[in-house]
Amino acid sequence: MTRSSEGLPKVRCVARARIPTTQGPDIFLHLYANNIDDKEHLAIVFGEDIRSRSLFQRRAGETQRDRMIRGAYVGKLYPGREVADEDDRLGLKLEFDRETGELIADSRSTWDGYDHDTLVRIHSECYTGETAWSARCDCGEQFDRAGRLIACEHEASTGIVGGSGHGVIVYLRQEGRGIGLGEKLKAYNLQDLGADTVQANLLLEHPVDGRDFSLGKAILIDLGIHNVRLLTNNPDKIAQIEQPPLINCVERVAMIPIHWSSEDAGIHSVEIEGYLTTKIERMGHLLQKPLKLHSKTTTTTTLNPA
């Protein structure tokens, strides 16, 4: 486990691999172990030079091939490559502390998380929204959009400055705001019986939001990310991610629902309107409904700003 600031979980990156994507840039998927649960949390990293300190640290008795297999290599793998710490084709080489084996973060080969503001999304697992095409929530939409924003220079429709191919989506395995998939499905049934998302959790004797973002914070520290541009509407997430001087949230980048500004895109359903309204009115999310929603399925009313 890597050393982190007092009070934070200890995390260790177990493996990293390049993933070519259907959307354009390659990503580097990092799998993390930790000392507080047995779940496999992830970091989806845009940019080969954003490096996990725990993954890249040299270990006693390991070979260069061992390092390549777990993903602790610089540059790009190719058939016949023998050295993990140097890519002679790209002219990249890593340096390490001789006593501790820790990576020496040289800006020529490793992203400088103090010098750069890094676009980050702390995302909680949502099987229904990301895999089962659910129109009850906007989790899948936010996940996809975060990837597009990190990959691009700027978003033409909103003017949001993107990550230009550098950034991180920390993917935490805390389904249903921390209650798990089974309880989440029960909550959906309660919503069909008339409860909103807050009431449903309370009726099942769960907290409104039981998530803990400290693991995400520890993962960002391990990746050397310090100045964060956070993609979120959740004020609690902003407060939880701060860890001066190790992590500073220098900007909140709003995640406005796509269908609020585009009649032919995003999620259009009665359920999504109720879900977003509850987030604004009962959970304090930093959103304001537009005066006129481009919705084909619902009639809406103006709400006061959150």
Side-chain angles (χ1 to χ4, degrees), residues 9-266:
K10 294 180 180 180
V11 299
R12 176 173 57 86
C13 185
V14 175
R16 159 188 181 260
R18 180 183 66 88
I19 308 293
T21 71
T22 59
Q23 302 299 318
D26 290 351
I27 61 170
F28 288 83
L29 189 60
H30 295 59
L31 187 145
Y32 276 87
N34 68 85
N35 67 337
I36 62 173
D37 65 35
D38 59 359
K39 296 179 181 179
E40 294 179 323
H41 302 278
L42 302 165
I44 301 166
V45 174
F46 292 69
E48 188 279 332
D49 56 349
I50 297 178
R51 306 198 188 284
S52 159
R53 277 33 177 187
S54 59
L55 181 78
F56 275 85
Q57 184 174 17
R58 282 181 167 172
R59 302 173 186 175
E62 68 178 355
T63 66
Q64 288 290 299
R65 183 171 176 79
D66 292 336
R67 292 178 62 76
M68 286 189 288
I69 290 172
R70 76 165 185 267
Y73 63 87
V74 65
K76 190 171 184 178
L77 296 181
Y78 51 83
R81 181 168 167 178
E82 297 180 349
V83 180
D85 301 334
E86 183 175 358
D87 186 334
D88 54 2
R89 293 186 179 183
L90 297 177
L92 296 172
K93 185 177 181 180
L94 301 178
E95 301 291 340
F96 300 85
D97 185 284
R98 291 186 177 182
E99 293 185 2
T100 66
E102 293 180 358
L103 175 70
I104 297 173
D106 187 324
S107 61
R108 291 171 296 182
S109 60
T110 300
W111 180 255
D112 189 330
Y114 283 107
D115 190 49
H116 297 99
D117 297 340
T118 307
L119 196 57
V120 168
R121 167 82 181 161
I122 308 292
H123 188 88
S124 297
E125 177 183 34
C126 178
Y127 178 85
T128 51
E130 297 157 7
T131 306
W133 312 289
S134 173
R136 286 184 182 269
C137 68
D138 60 344
C139 302
E141 176 180 288
Q142 289 189 343
F143 180 80
D144 292 342
R145 190 171 176 211
R148 292 194 298 270
L149 282 168
I150 293 171
C152 75
E153 291 185 8
H154 74 278
E155 187 177 57
S157 61
T158 63
I160 292 174
V161 176
S164 298
H166 278 92
V168 179
I169 301 175
V170 177
Y171 190 88
L172 300 177
R173 310 297 297 274
Q174 42 188 9
E175 179 81 46
R177 297 201 299 272
I179 67 175
L181 184 56
E183 292 298 284
K184 177 181 175 179
L185 297 181
K186 295 176 186 177
Y188 282 169
N189 291 330
L190 284 168
Q191 289 172 39
D192 285 345
L193 288 168
D196 63 32
T197 183
V198 168
Q199 293 166 338
N201 273 32
L202 295 175
L203 286 169
L204 291 170
E205 299 184 349
H206 295 301
V208 173
D209 190 343
R211 291 174 296 176
D212 180 356
F213 298 110
S214 61
L215 270 171
K217 191 157 41 177
I219 288 171
L220 289 176
I221 292 170
D222 180 65
L223 291 168
I225 305 300
H226 303 286
N227 295 331
V228 169
R229 300 176 58 222
L230 190 63
L231 288 157
T232 190
N233 302 318
N234 186 348
D236 184 53
K237 193 177 292 185
I238 299 168
Q240 284 204 44
I241 206 64
E242 287 275 0
Q243 187 82 16
L246 293 176
I247 298 183
N248 296 294
C249 185
V250 299
E251 181 185 357
R252 181 185 77 89
V253 181
M255 300 286 282
I256 306 300
I258 292 173
H259 79 282
W260 283 9
S261 58
S262 176
E263 183 176 355
D264 299 318

